[in-house]
Amino acid sequence: MMAYNHNNAAAKSRRGAAAAPPPPAERIVEEQLPVRSAVGTVTNVYQACIAGFWRNVTVQWFKNLMNISFSITIDGVDGESSQTCKVDLKPWHFWSKKGYKSFPIGINRSFSGDANVMAEPHVLEIYWDLRTAKFAAGGPEPSSDYYLAIVSDEEIALLMGDNKKKAYKRTKKRPALVDAVQLIKKEVVYGKKSFSTRARFAEGRGEHDIVVESSITSGPRDPEMWISIDGIVLVHVRNLQWKFRGNETVMVNKQAVQVMWDVHAWLFSAPGTGYGLFIFKAEASEAESDKEGSGRGSDSNGSAYHSTVSQTRVSEFCLFLNAWKFE
């Protein structure tokens, strides 16, 4: 299986001065769920400023035959352990689709420099409302009419969903000074010939519909594969039995996106024992790269805070699609 290195996905953290970046989410790429353990799973990795640090925040959505659930994992820094909060949305309990939870992470450090000052856990607040949420193609992740908010230090550090006004009204918290940035989306899907997902390749732009289709049969016809974005076929692979691994760069709304695939398991493994891997990575244009270079700066403590966030917004997002094929 082709490997993809995204160790540069995490930006520099800070606590008054620059600190080491949070650990990258390598487990997102290598994780293999048991076949049919869920109808589908979606994993999103964001970076948000929480308790004075840029931290990786992993939001996972799960769907099985009974219910939908989500979990939020906050990565630790400086030796802290990661903390996870899980919420089950029971289908027969309408009230469970709107709720609130709080949970502690790490410690609330003192910035006085006095090692004898006692430190307390930093408490996060989670608000959600999925009572009217819509789910695209029956997947586990809501596509509209919902919100999920993470509150830290009287700010909404991370806000997902389109009902943003309702989230601010309910939480009575202010927006974060710098918005959270999505680094990774990984989706596990199941199907026979067609697999679909949605992704946003740059902050501030709309989502794109992505569809992978294949014609792998036991007959004399050579297998083929098509990858389309927003209804336009951008990658067409003939003689797939010889080109089961590859990559191409395509243009999506004047933005370069690198597409990589590995479907060896589709062709040479028993049905249901392996998945096809697809990676979509947005590439920064020359104009955006020049803008990043000219916009580099530092905060009052010398940390390249603003330029780091700008770089992540433009060039760090990756979509990983694990497509399990069944006959």
Side-chain angles (χ1 to χ4, degrees):
M1 186 66 65
M2 123 179 94
Y4 180 81
N5 183 6
H6 58 276
N7 286 344
N8 62 345
K12 294 181 179 179
S13 60
R14 66 169 191 146
R15 185 195 64 202
E26 280 128 349
R27 62 183 181 276
I28 299 303
V29 184
E30 299 299 332
E31 170 192 9
Q32 295 191 25
L33 297 176
V35 177
R36 293 190 183 277
S37 65
V39 174
T41 62
V42 175
T43 302
N44 294 300
V45 180
Y46 302 86
Q47 196 164 79
C49 189
I50 295 176
F53 281 87
W54 281 106
R55 301 172 186 254
N56 287 344
V57 180
T58 302
V59 181
Q60 292 184 294
W61 299 88
F62 308 89
K63 180 180 181 181
N64 56 32
L65 298 178
M66 293 298 295
N67 66 343
I68 292 176
S69 61
F70 67 85
S71 69
I72 298 174
T73 299
I74 311 295
D75 281 6
V77 293
D78 288 355
E80 297 174 358
S81 59
S82 299
Q83 300 294 330
T84 299
C85 171
K86 186 175 181 181
V87 175
D88 290 317
L89 307 174
K90 305 295 184 181
W92 53 85
H93 289 158
F94 180 76
W95 56 265
S96 73
K97 297 182 179 180
K98 178 181 180 181
Y100 162 86
K101 271 191 175 184
S102 63
F103 70 103
I105 63 163
I107 57 175
N108 191 11
R109 294 174 173 80
S110 168
F111 293 90
S112 65
D114 186 351
N116 296 320
V117 175
M118 294 297 292
E120 298 178 354
H122 181 86
V123 178
L124 293 185
E125 299 174 301
I126 313 296
Y127 297 83
W128 68 89
D129 189 349
L130 293 93
R131 293 175 298 175
T132 60
K134 295 180 176 60
F135 297 82
E141 182 182 30
S143 58
S144 63
D145 297 337
Y146 81 103
Y147 66 79
L148 173 59
I150 300 176
V151 175
S152 171
D153 292 327
E154 300 299 314
E155 291 184 348
I156 297 185
L158 176 59
L159 178 56
M160 293 155 279
D162 54 346
N163 286 345
K164 299 183 185 300
K165 290 184 179 179
K166 292 183 179 180
Y168 286 116
K169 181 178 180 180
R170 181 183 175 199
T171 62
K172 296 180 173 60
K173 309 298 183 184
R174 63 180 181 270
L177 293 177
V178 181
D179 291 337
V181 180
Q182 185 172 10
L183 303 178
I184 297 170
K185 176 178 180 179
K186 174 191 170 183
E187 185 164 3
V188 179
V189 294
Y190 303 88
K192 293 183 177 181
K193 296 182 178 181
S194 181
F195 308 88
S196 60
T197 185
R198 294 173 61 85
R200 179 180 290 107
F201 294 119
E203 294 294 321
R205 299 185 183 180
E207 285 191 323
H208 300 280
D209 293 309
I210 300 171
V211 178
V212 177
E213 297 177 285
S214 65
S215 63
I216 300 176
T217 63
S218 58
R221 183 178 176 182
D222 289 334
E224 297 181 67
M225 182 178 69
W226 300 264
I227 300 176
S228 62
I229 299 179
D230 295 334
I232 302 173
V233 176
L234 298 179
V235 177
H236 182 195
V237 183
R238 297 180 175 87
N239 300 317
L240 191 60
Q241 73 274 27
W242 306 112
K243 302 175 183 178
F244 49 82
R245 294 189 183 101
N247 66 280
E248 288 188 21
T249 298
V250 301
M251 299 301 296
V252 181
N253 288 350
K254 299 181 180 181
Q255 180 179 13
V257 176
Q258 189 176 9
V259 181
M260 294 161 274
W261 66 88
D262 183 343
V263 294
H264 182 275
W266 283 3
L267 295 155
F268 304 109
S269 299
T273 60
Y275 60 85
L277 172 63
F278 299 86
I279 301 175
F280 300 80
K281 177 173 173 55
E283 297 182 350
S285 66
E286 292 183 4
E288 288 170 332
S289 299
D290 292 342
K291 184 177 180 180
E292 290 168 12
S294 63
R296 289 185 179 273
S298 61
D299 59 18
S300 59
N301 299 294
S303 171
Y305 173 68
H306 296 291
S307 62
T308 300
V309 173
S310 175
Q311 276 188 311
T312 304
R313 286 177 179 277
V314 173
S315 60
E316 293 299 338
F317 175 76
C318 274
L319 166 66
F320 297 86
L321 182 65
N322 290 7
W324 290 84
K325 192 176 182 66
F326 294 98
E327 299 298 330

